Amino acid sequence: MSESTETEVVDENPDIVSESPEEVETGSVEGRARSIKHRRGKVVSTKMQGTVIVMVERKIRHRRYNKYVNQRRRFSVDDKVSCEVGDLVIIRETRPLSKTKRWEVVRKIGHQD
């Protein structure tokens, strides 16, 4: 009774050849491309070699009180850009580099005291 119908996806621009999931920079999970997470934060510690601690702050709305609350999270980040305390940086998710490092610095975007 039920028929298997396949839908054909037509690309809007036929001149662009799409890459296979293995070639996409974002990586793949079972043949599907997955997006890489990016965060913006401030370097709060540089006491380790090749690793910095970045604090990412975001505002969320409290469900009951409708007041905006700051949430902070500290990430151990691989540092190949030579960051200093107070630098504002963009970080992105990467493969596990150690027990706690799963992020890397993409670039510095400024400095904040």
Side-chain angles (χ1 to χ4, degrees):
M1 292 226 157
S2 66
E3 292 182 17
S4 158
T5 59
E6 293 184 23
T7 59
E8 184 176 331
V9 177
V10 179
D11 211 5
E12 292 177 3
N13 190 351
D15 297 332
I16 298 174
V17 178
S18 63
E19 299 174 323
S20 66
E22 293 81 25
E23 296 173 356
V24 176
E25 179 191 351
T26 57
S28 64
V29 177
E30 297 177 8
R32 295 183 304 242
R34 87 179 162 83
S35 62
I36 294 179
K37 298 174 189 172
H38 287 78
R39 302 282 185 263
R40 192 186 89 174
K42 179 181 172 183
V43 177
V44 293
S45 174
T46 59
K47 294 181 180 180
M48 295 174 274
Q49 292 180 355
T51 304
V52 294
I53 304 297
V54 175
M55 182 171 297
V56 175
E57 189 172 288
R58 63 189 189 122
K59 292 182 184 272
I60 62 159
R61 190 175 59 88
H62 195 281
R63 288 185 196 174
R64 175 175 286 172
Y65 302 117
N66 291 328
K67 179 180 178 178
Y68 285 92
V69 181
N70 290 330
Q71 277 192 345
R72 296 183 185 123
R73 175 127 188 239
R74 291 165 55 107
F75 293 97
S76 295
V77 180
D78 189 40
D79 180 27
K80 296 180 181 165
V81 185
S82 301
C83 297
E84 296 182 11
V85 175
D87 285 344
L88 295 174
V89 294
I90 301 287
I91 61 175
R92 77 170 161 218
E93 191 176 32
T94 183
R95 64 183 176 83
L97 301 171
S98 71
K99 182 179 176 181
T100 58
K101 282 200 301 190
R102 273 111 174 99
W103 296 81
E104 64 183 355
V105 175
V106 176
R107 67 178 186 273
K108 290 190 230 182
I109 56 173
H111 187 80
Q112 183 181 14
D113 291 324

